[in-house]
Amino acid sequence: MGSTSRPLLSLLCFTLLISSTFSELCNPQDKKVLLQIKQAFNNPYVLTSWKTNTDCCTDWYCVTCDSTSHRINSLTITADNQLSGQIPPEVGDLPYLETLEFHKLPNVTGTIQPAIVNLKHLNFLRLSWLNLTGPIPDFVSKLKNLTFIDFAFNQLSGSIPPSLSELPKLGGLHLDRNKLSGPLPYSFGNFPQGLYLFLSHNQLTGSIPASFAHMDFGYIDLSRNKLEGDASVVFGSSKTTEIVDLSRNLLEFNLSKVVFPKSLTSLDLNHNMIYGGLPVELTTLNLQYLNVSYNRLCGQIPVGGKLQSFDYSNYFHNRCLCGSPLPSCK
């Protein structure tokens, strides 16, 4: 080999070495933490792509990196019946996470991982369709950047922390399909306006807080609990609420006196103890769904709008409600 070619060959080797050294975008600490998470879950198939000799930013499933800093900003593991164990504390060692999602992993057990409190940049937190137990921890309210929380379809118990209303950016809260008990926190009337609130299929008791009169929910579902008393505070002419589901509770109030928001498109009040009549105002709403069956309503169903388009079963089993689509009034 000539004397001229040796320096060129050396330069080429050096260039390749430098290239291989700096080609990986993945932050080494983030990579170490992710591999610890994989090991904590006993190296499940869904994380097969997580290998020491590949780049977590370009080659790994279930994670994404920030395009500038290349720090892990999203960890999303979903729909795997094989993955089992508890959410490992190492998730709290990914300081730039904005999205954390464990969803439809029925063999993930334990409590809501306390180390999540370290994720100060987190805005999307979904731990749903798992098998989590224990209470909803107060520390969740310390994650001030959260815009969405989903703890639905678990076995969570205890009361709902009033401190959740201290989250200034929250737009959606899903706590449905758990075993939560106790009253609705009065502080829930202080959420950001337009919140989507899902608390159905729990064991909540007591009355709907008066503070809800000042809260403009976008969507509120309190169905299938043991709530009682007056629910008229949920409604109001100045509100922009679109969907209300209060069905299958023990609510008792005069529907005739309720003033509905013009934005209302879906109203489900079935299986309560609501009395009075249907306000004529309902004919002016663009209702896509209405169910007032199994209550104590009386009087004629107002004629007009969408009211006659619903099936008779959406009105039946009331005290003396009559008129189309029910039999005519006597």
Side-chain angles (χ1 to χ4, degrees), residues 169-231:
K169 301 178 182 179
L170 198 65
L173 178 60
H174 294 249
L175 305 180
D176 45 307
R177 305 269 182 170
N178 279 288
K179 297 179 179 179
L180 300 171
S181 58
L184 291 171
Y186 188 88
S187 63
F188 273 27
N190 300 323
F191 272 118
Q193 300 299 308
L195 179 80
Y196 278 43
L197 180 65
F198 297 83
L199 301 178
S200 71
H201 294 78
N202 279 291
Q203 300 164 17
L204 302 174
T205 56
S207 59
I208 295 177
S211 60
F212 278 33
H214 310 295
M215 181 66 206
D216 187 7
F217 294 99
Y219 188 134
I220 180 169
D221 185 355
L222 305 178
S223 64
R224 293 179 183 265
N225 282 287
K226 300 174 183 177
L227 299 170
E228 57 191 30
D230 188 1

Side-chain angles (χ1 to χ4, degrees), residues 19-229:
S19 176
S20 63
T21 303
F22 291 101
S23 62
E24 184 165 352
L25 299 175
C26 182
N27 178 274
Q29 180 59 27
D30 287 351
K31 187 173 188 177
K32 177 182 177 182
V33 169
L34 290 171
L35 290 171
Q36 290 172 340
I37 292 172
K38 178 183 178 182
Q39 185 175 16
F41 281 132
N42 297 313
N43 303 308
Y45 178 77
V46 70
L47 303 181
T48 301
S49 64
W50 292 17
K51 299 176 180 177
T52 56
N53 61 345
T54 57
D55 191 334
C56 70
C57 286
T58 58
D59 302 324
W60 291 19
Y61 293 122
C62 305
V63 292
T64 62
C65 293
D66 181 82
S67 59
T68 303
S69 68
H70 307 304
R71 300 302 299 263
I72 294 291
N73 61 11
S74 174
L75 171 58
T76 301
I77 305 176
T78 65
D80 188 334
N81 291 332
Q82 305 304 315
L83 187 146
S84 63
Q86 300 188 14
I87 297 173
E90 285 83 1
V91 297
D93 295 329
L94 295 169
Y96 292 92
L97 268 191
E98 298 175 9
T99 296
L100 177 61
E101 179 175 9
F102 292 97
H103 176 61
K104 289 192 174 181
L105 307 170
N107 295 311
V108 169
T109 59
T111 60
I112 295 175
Q113 173 54 244
I116 292 173
V117 73
N118 298 324
L119 304 176
K120 302 303 183 184
H121 296 281
L122 204 64
N123 58 55
F124 184 99
L125 176 59
R126 170 173 278 155
L127 308 175
S128 60
W129 294 74
L130 311 177
N131 206 2
L132 299 180
T133 54
I136 297 172
D138 264 318
F139 75 70
V140 176
S141 64
K142 296 180 181 179
L143 301 172
K144 299 301 184 183
N145 286 308
L146 281 174
T147 62
F148 183 86
I149 297 173
D150 185 359
F151 295 154
F153 288 87
N154 280 290
Q155 306 292 323
L156 299 172
S157 58
S159 58
I160 300 173
S163 59
L164 292 178
S165 64
E166 298 170 11
L167 294 167
K169 301 178 182 179
L170 198 65
L173 178 60
H174 294 249
L175 305 180
D176 45 307
R177 305 269 182 170
N178 279 288
K179 297 179 179 179
L180 300 171
S181 58
L184 291 171
Y186 188 88
S187 63
F188 273 27
N190 300 323
F191 272 118
Q193 300 299 308
L195 179 80
Y196 278 43
L197 180 65
F198 297 83
L199 301 178
S200 71
H201 294 78
N202 279 291
Q203 300 164 17
L204 302 174
T205 56
S207 59
I208 295 177
S211 60
F212 278 33
H214 310 295
M215 181 66 206
D216 187 7
F217 294 99
Y219 188 134
I220 180 169
D221 185 355
L222 305 178
S223 64
R224 293 179 183 265
N225 282 287
K226 300 174 183 177
L227 299 170
E228 57 191 30

Side-chain angles (χ1 to χ4, degrees), residues 212-285:
F212 278 33
H214 310 295
M215 181 66 206
D216 187 7
F217 294 99
Y219 188 134
I220 180 169
D221 185 355
L222 305 178
S223 64
R224 293 179 183 265
N225 282 287
K226 300 174 183 177
L227 299 170
E228 57 191 30
D230 188 1
S232 61
V233 291
V234 171
F235 307 99
S237 60
S238 62
K239 297 188 179 185
T240 59
T241 307
E242 295 182 9
I243 299 175
V244 175
D245 189 348
L246 306 176
S247 63
R248 295 182 182 270
N249 278 287
L250 304 170
L251 299 169
E252 189 173 2
F253 60 98
N254 188 347
L255 192 63
S256 305
K257 297 183 178 181
V258 173
V259 179
F260 296 99
K262 298 295 183 184
S263 53
L264 195 65
T265 61
S266 178
L267 176 63
D268 194 346
L269 302 175
N270 81 79
H271 286 84
N272 279 288
M273 297 182 288
I274 301 168
Y275 58 91
L278 295 178
V280 176
E281 176 195 3
L282 287 172
T283 63
T284 66
L285 303 179

